[in-house]
Amino acid sequence: MKKKILDFLRVAFPFLCVIVLWRLAVPFWNPGGILAIIPIFFCSFVMRVPWFAPFAIIFCFLIDYRFDTLFYWTAAYCLFYAINGFQNFIDLGQLDKNALDIFMIFFGVSTLILAMVGFSVSGMMRAIWLVAWTSALYVPITALIKRVGNDR
């Protein structure tokens, strides 16, 4: 019985991680629950958790809801999902640091476009802070997800 519960928690951990990071929304440290994009990206493209893509789309929509953006993060995720599906040069699961550089490109470009829409110096500084903070937390969060799901 104990093993079944541990196996369930191990499988459910990526999903629970997204929910917790989205719910822990704080204006400066986690605006709109944007840190949930880390496990969304990692479990969709690098570790490839089964049935995670529909869940990721729902939570990208919920991030849009909190950010007051109309399908922006959902569209960015779906666009990157399509681009990743059509390419076969790069296996994101084999890159070092859990594909941190690809995540920085995805998140940095998306945040830059969002910051340029309503350009202001303070908005640009917040965008730079957000990219730096999210990129710094990417490796510890993904390492935790890999460690918990290691015994699959």
Side-chain angles (χ1 to χ4, degrees):
M1 181 69 170
K2 181 180 174 184
K3 182 170 174 17
K4 287 184 180 182
I5 293 172
L6 288 175
D7 287 341
F8 170 76
L9 290 175
R10 190 171 288 121
V11 169
F13 186 76
F15 299 94
L16 296 174
C17 188
V18 171
I19 294 169
V20 167
L21 287 173
W22 180 75
R23 288 289 297 159
L24 292 176
V26 178
F28 184 74
W29 299 106
N30 188 10
I34 195 65
L35 290 181
I37 205 79
I38 295 170
I40 287 172
F41 179 88
F42 181 69
C43 295
S44 294
F45 303 117
V46 180
M47 197 168 85
R48 297 187 192 255
V49 174
W51 292 100
F52 198 81
F55 180 79
I57 291 172
I58 291 169
F59 268 87
C60 285
F61 177 75
L62 291 174
I63 290 170
D64 282 328
Y65 175 74
R66 283 216 174 143
F67 255 102
D68 290 331
T69 55
L70 186 61
F71 293 111
Y72 180 75
W73 290 105
T74 307
Y77 172 80
C78 290
L79 178 67
F80 194 79
Y81 195 85
I83 290 170
N84 188 47
F86 284 120
Q87 66 90 21
N88 58 4
F89 311 115
I90 303 169
D91 182 15
L92 296 179
Q94 300 300 321
L95 295 177
D96 55 338
K97 296 182 186 167
N98 298 328
L100 172 64
D101 48 353
I102 305 297
F103 173 76
M104 288 174 65
I105 292 169
F106 163 71
F107 190 72
V109 169
S110 299
T111 306
L112 177 67
I113 292 170
L114 193 59
M116 295 302 280
V117 169
F119 183 78
S120 68
V121 174
S122 65
M124 190 57 72
M125 296 306 275
R126 280 186 60 122
I128 291 170
W129 159 251
L130 192 60
V131 170
W133 177 243
T134 306
S135 299
L137 290 177
Y138 181 80
V139 172
I141 291 172
T142 57
L144 179 65
I145 292 170
K146 278 178 76 172
R147 183 157 174 104
V148 169
N150 195 20
D151 295 328
R152 284 189 200 180

